[in-house]
Amino acid sequence: MQSLLLPLLLVLVLAVPLIMSSRKQKKQQAAQQDLQNSLAPGDRVMTTSGLYGTVADTSGDNTIDIEIAPGVVTTWLRLAVREKVEPVVETDEDSVDEEVVTPVTPVTSSDAPAEESIIQSGNGIKDDEPQTTAQVAPPLEHGKK
């Protein structure tokens, strides 16, 4: 009796995780299939490559048309759609917080000589603005040795 207990316990320890993982995988496949079947024009989706777009046409059996920009429609496999996403809705409070109003000051005759000296110097940079030391790298020459 004890000689059968160890192999039975070993099979049980190995079989239970396999059965549980296959059940989880079947549930995920069913959820993905439901998503593919529920796609309709106007739905906002994300593809498996991370591209966001709006479903334009679902008439194909294996393909779907996704509008990625106004007037730009691309054709994708249905299986490439990972999930539906909610469109971003901007509220009035968000737009008010982001607006920054800066007062406009009129140019007086006392400001004019300073502007003229900048124009006459030819560099077009005001003296009080910091100058950068950024440099532009030369273009790479590929394939030339």
Side-chain angles (χ1 to χ4, degrees):
M1 177 80 170
Q2 288 191 1
S3 64
L4 291 176
L5 186 61
L6 184 61
L8 183 62
L9 186 62
L10 185 64
V11 167
L12 200 78
V13 167
L14 294 176
V16 170
L18 289 175
I19 292 171
M20 296 302 281
S21 67
S22 67
R23 288 183 62 200
K24 182 179 178 183
Q25 196 172 28
K26 284 181 183 179
K27 286 180 183 180
Q28 288 176 343
Q29 286 176 348
Q32 187 69 19
Q33 188 67 32
D34 289 341
L35 171 70
Q36 303 300 321
N37 294 333
S38 70
L39 292 175
D43 288 343
R44 183 103 171 117
V45 294
M46 182 179 72
T47 63
T48 54
S49 60
L51 182 80
Y52 289 91
T54 304
V55 176
D57 184 26
T58 58
S59 61
D61 291 336
N62 295 327
T63 61
I64 189 169
D65 290 340
I66 299 176
E67 184 176 20
I68 57 176
V72 180
V73 178
T74 56
T75 303
W76 294 75
L77 287 173
R78 280 185 181 263
L79 296 175
V81 176
R82 174 183 284 165
E83 63 184 270
K84 286 185 184 180
V85 294
E86 296 297 321
V88 177
V89 178
E90 185 176 313
T91 62
D92 292 337
E93 294 174 1
D94 293 340
S95 62
V96 171
D97 291 341
E98 293 175 5
E99 285 185 29
V100 177
V101 179
T102 56
V104 177
T105 57
V107 177
T108 61
S109 60
S110 63
D111 294 338
E115 295 294 329
E116 289 174 5
S117 66
I118 292 172
I119 294 171
Q120 288 174 357
S121 67
N123 63 5
I125 300 174
K126 294 182 181 178
D127 294 333
D128 59 344
E129 291 182 6
Q131 295 184 6
T132 64
T133 59
Q135 297 177 355
V136 178
L140 297 174
E141 297 181 17
H142 296 285
K144 296 180 182 178
K145 292 184 180 181

